[in-house]
Amino acid sequence: MMPLFTSRPEKPKCKSLSLREFQNAQTMVFAIEEINNRADILPGVSLGYRIYDSCGSIEMALKASLSLVNGENASQLPCHRPNTVQAIIAETSSTPTIAISATVGPLNIPVISHFATCACLSDRKKHPSFFRTIPSDYYQSRALAKLVKNFGWTWVGALCSDNDYGNNGMNTFIKAATEFGVCVEYSEAFFRTDKREDILRILDIVKSSSSKVIVAFVSYSDMEVLLGELAQQNITGLQWIGSESWISDTNIATGKWQGILRGSMGFAIPKAEIKGLGEFLTKLNPASGIDLYKELWETIFQCKLSPENALGVNMCKGNESIINVQNQYTDVTELQIANNVYKAVYAVAHALNSTISCSKLDTNQGSTSKCLEKLNNTWQVLNALREVSFLTGTGENVYFDKSGDPAARYDLLNWQQGEDGTTEFVKVGFYDASLQPETQLSFNNISIVWALNKKQVPVSICSESCPSGTWKAVKKGKPICCYDCLPCAQGEISNETDSVACLKCPQEFWSNERRDTCVPKLVEFLSFEDAMGIILVVFSLLGVSFTLGIVVVFFVHRDTPLVKANNSELSFLLLFSLTLCFLCSLTFIGRPTEWSCMLRHTAFGITFVLCISCVLGKTIVVLMAFRATFPGSNVMKWFGPLQQRLGVLAFTLLQVLICVLWLTKSPPFPYMNKNLYQERIILECNLGSAFGFWAVLGYIGLLAVLCFILAFLARKLPDNFNEAKFITFSMLIFCAVWITFIPAYVSSPGKFTVAVEIFAILASSFGFLFCIFVPKCYIILLRPEQNTKKHMMGKS
């Protein structure tokens, strides 16, 4: 319905009297009277005061502050400020305080709050004349974030009052929680005057959430409304973390919903003791004519002092005594907030004392007026407050920093059940922002009681901790506290829980199976213990044994026509070179060393050239022997035994020269190949100069091709026993083996490269041995009748 603006709005009225706020007001009166009775502070000057009831309303708070500034007749013009108003002590909540400070700040009138904790009030540009005796919520919010992080709660809910106190405090908490790795599942704001549907909507969010810890940055009046709905919904078992506004409020702790909050924890202003305040509070007399005193009396004893207002209510008997009453007004066991009021009054008194600088006043009127003239300029009082520093009766140092804030110190309270079943505030630790970050939060050796009176710390996390060997992968669209634990990749480790990334192992190391430790990589080479190495050794030794056996056979039958006809000298030299070929394959097995790397390739190259040189010599002899049968041919004199020896020697020395140049310029060396495999290191022989290696192989290949061509030409000579035919087969096998060796060698990984090379050596050696010598041994041993000169000279 739209307003018609036909009538003035009704003036706001207070609904009920707050015992806590009235105690604060009386504490201010007590402090002022105490100062006026002292001779060391403001001697000869009496402080006066005027108290207004704002009822927590912004409008009424602003009206009261303007009344203080302008005087009682604030509506009359011109506006003027009474000389006696030097400071305003207000307000209990942050929002009205912000309004007051913004209004009177340009007038340089100090505003000192005892309970406005909004961090926004520390902004000196917006609030240049604001001070407070309670720490800023900036420190409390960070303290709450540290507390949550300390117990491992990374998944929490958050509720706050929908005002400057709650919203600013919660924003600071969320920012600090994010820094500490804590995630807020939900953050909801409400006010006590909100519709019940709005509050029930928030409770539905609380019930459906997975977090078991709720941080409540809520004012005590809003908390009462929320607790009423919590009790009706029967929402229990949650761990509540409270702000100082309600965590030490006895009215909430003794209410019907105290069971819901049992085990709650939060920071509160440290307890304080003000001597004489208890007696002062109980000396209140309703007959003094002060309306608030009457209202307090009627509120406490539930009666009426005036008959005209006693409809349906008992009249006060007149013998009531406030001394025996236990409530928020008479309770002086805590006094956290009342002590802040007490310190605020004393701060103003010390500032005034340093401003007027009248240590001794004459009793005459002129001297006193001279001192009071200095109080007309409130900016002097404002500057004095910035420099004020004094000790209270309990030894507490009171001062303000450059933002007008005091030192941030809090007690950590835990709600525990006493022996009589009531809730007790047990101090289990403290927070001091002036200490080093690692020591700011400290705990006493007192056991903490958690929700539902449990002794075990509740768990409130979105995802379980990731163990070593895994890393946290944040779920898409979720906060960082909700993640999947993925195993580290091969070659990477994480050696701590909740690792955000895996660490790559050094190049010489590899991850173990659990991916939590880097272990040295397995160094792999073809060893004598490997199954493959054993098989190759066996075949190598078999080749040596066969060769030696053939040597024995040839030596025993060296005088037979078959042995003589096949150039026994070259045959024995060929058998010797084949023995070396079989043995040189053993140098490729075992851990590569500097000497073994140089020996294996050079020995292989020289022995094979010696072997092929002998075969080439035998092939040339066969060809020349056929040419020598033509009439008038004397070609054999150029290919006699001496020329054969020199030919073999020359071919071999050329290979020796190539090997010497290779070893001199860039010899092979042991090399740890870390790039071929990720999980292991291949220990192999680096060729040094690849040109040297391929020169050795190329020279062997050149001799092999030449030998193959000559043997192929002599394969059909009409001898009964034509050796060229067997040489052709042996060279065919040799060439086939080494032609296939090249791609196999290049493509084989790790130790298989060495195995391929050994296989090529053994295969070609066995090819020579079986094709050239086995047929001769067959005739010598099994067909001795063919081992005659007549048969050898016959034509096939």
Side-chain angles (χ1 to χ4, degrees), residues 92-358:
T92 300
S93 55
S94 295
T95 301
T97 304
I98 294 172
I100 295 173
S101 176
T103 302
V104 304
L107 302 176
N108 290 326
I109 298 178
V111 177
I112 307 176
S113 175
H114 53 281
F115 207 44
T117 57
C118 179
C120 58
L121 288 164
S122 298
D123 188 348
R124 266 299 183 243
K125 293 182 180 179
K126 296 181 179 179
H127 306 281
S129 64
F130 177 76
F131 300 86
R132 54 182 155 198
T133 52
I134 188 170
S136 166
D137 282 336
Y138 171 81
Y139 301 102
Q140 183 186 187
S141 299
R142 295 188 65 85
L144 289 172
K146 277 194 172 184
L147 178 69
V148 169
K149 179 62 177 178
N150 180 80
F151 292 109
W153 300 323
T154 58
W155 190 239
V156 300
L159 300 177
C160 68
S161 294
D162 193 8
N163 53 24
D164 295 289
Y165 165 76
N167 292 326
N168 283 278
M170 185 53 62
N171 289 338
T172 306
F173 167 78
I174 293 176
K175 183 178 179 181
T178 303
E179 293 178 12
F180 298 145
V182 177
C183 297
V184 178
E185 184 180 7
Y186 58 88
S187 177
E188 296 292 334
F190 70 97
F191 199 67
R192 57 183 176 273
T193 58
D194 286 349
K195 295 180 180 179
R196 186 169 184 263
E197 294 78 19
D198 296 334
I199 297 178
L200 291 178
R201 178 189 61 83
I202 294 175
L203 295 185
D204 289 338
I205 295 175
V206 172
K207 287 190 292 185
S208 61
S209 66
S210 59
S211 57
K212 302 302 180 184
V213 176
I214 299 180
V215 178
F217 218 98
V218 182
S219 64
Y220 69 93
S221 53
D222 294 335
M223 195 67 185
E224 290 179 348
V225 176
L226 179 66
L227 288 173
E229 296 296 340
L230 284 171
Q232 291 189 23
Q233 298 290 325
N234 195 26
I235 301 176
T236 59
L238 297 175
Q239 179 62 47
W240 290 87
I241 304 298
S243 60
E244 38 71 32
S245 178
W246 67 269
I247 198 65
S248 59
D249 191 280
T250 54
N251 188 42
I252 294 178
T254 56
K256 58 184 178 180
W257 45 69
Q258 58 177 310
I260 298 175
L261 298 178
R262 191 66 51 78
S264 297
M265 184 182 294
F267 293 103
I269 307 303
K271 290 182 180 180
E273 180 181 354
I274 303 176
K275 293 182 179 180
L277 179 61
E279 293 81 0
F280 180 81
L281 295 176
T282 55
K283 289 180 181 178
L284 180 145
N285 185 5
S288 60
I290 301 176
D291 293 338
L292 280 177
Y293 287 4
K294 296 179 180 179
E295 185 177 354
L296 174 69
W297 200 269
E298 292 175 347
T299 301
I300 292 176
F301 296 107
Q302 297 294 308
C303 63
K304 290 294 182 179
L305 293 170
S306 301
E308 60 270 17
N309 296 327
L311 296 176
V313 182
N314 296 329
M315 286 288 297
C316 295
K317 298 178 181 179
N319 60 352
E320 294 89 354
S321 176
I322 203 172
I323 298 177
N324 299 323
V325 175
Q326 293 294 327
N327 55 28
Q328 278 189 309
Y329 174 72
T330 60
D331 184 13
V332 292
T333 58
E334 302 292 335
L335 295 182
Q336 290 102 327
I337 310 305
N339 185 51
N340 287 338
V341 177
Y342 185 78
K343 290 187 293 184
V345 175
Y346 264 87
V348 174
H350 279 278
L352 290 171
N353 188 67
S354 63
T355 301
I356 64 176
S357 301
C358 294

Side-chain angles (χ1 to χ4, degrees), residues 634-663:
N634 57 354
V635 71
M636 284 304 296
K637 70 178 182 178
W638 299 104
F639 292 94
L642 179 60
Q643 287 79 8
Q644 295 172 19
R645 297 189 195 102
L646 291 176
V648 172
L649 181 62
F651 286 133
T652 305
L653 286 178
L654 183 56
Q655 181 73 307
V656 171
L657 179 61
I658 295 174
C659 291
V660 169
L661 291 174
W662 182 16
L663 297 179

Side-chain angles (χ1 to χ4, degrees), residues 562-571 573-574 612-630 633-648 651 706-707 709-715 717 719 721-725 727 776 792:
L562 182 59
V563 176
K564 289 181 178 181
N566 285 278
N567 200 332
S568 59
E569 187 173 339
L570 284 180
S571 295
L573 186 58
L574 177 58
I612 295 176
S613 298
C614 294
V615 176
L616 182 59
K618 292 173 70 69
T619 306
I620 294 174
V621 168
V622 171
L623 282 174
M624 293 305 104
F626 179 76
R627 291 286 183 179
T629 58
F630 295 116
S633 176
N634 57 354
V635 71
M636 284 304 296
K637 70 178 182 178
W638 299 104
F639 292 94
L642 179 60
Q643 287 79 8
Q644 295 172 19
R645 297 189 195 102
L646 291 176
V648 172
F651 286 133
L706 179 60
C707 185
I709 293 173
L710 295 177
F712 184 79
L713 295 175
R715 74 188 187 282
L717 294 179
D719 286 341
F721 189 81
N722 184 6
E723 191 174 17
K725 186 184 302 182
I727 293 175
K776 297 181 179 61
M792 295 294 299

Side-chain angles (χ1 to χ4, degrees), residues 467-471 486-488 493-496 502 514-516:
S468 300
T470 62
W471 64 284
L486 301 181
C488 292
I493 65 162
S494 65
N495 53 9
E496 59 183 15
C502 296
R514 292 182 297 179
R515 306 286 199 274
D516 58 359

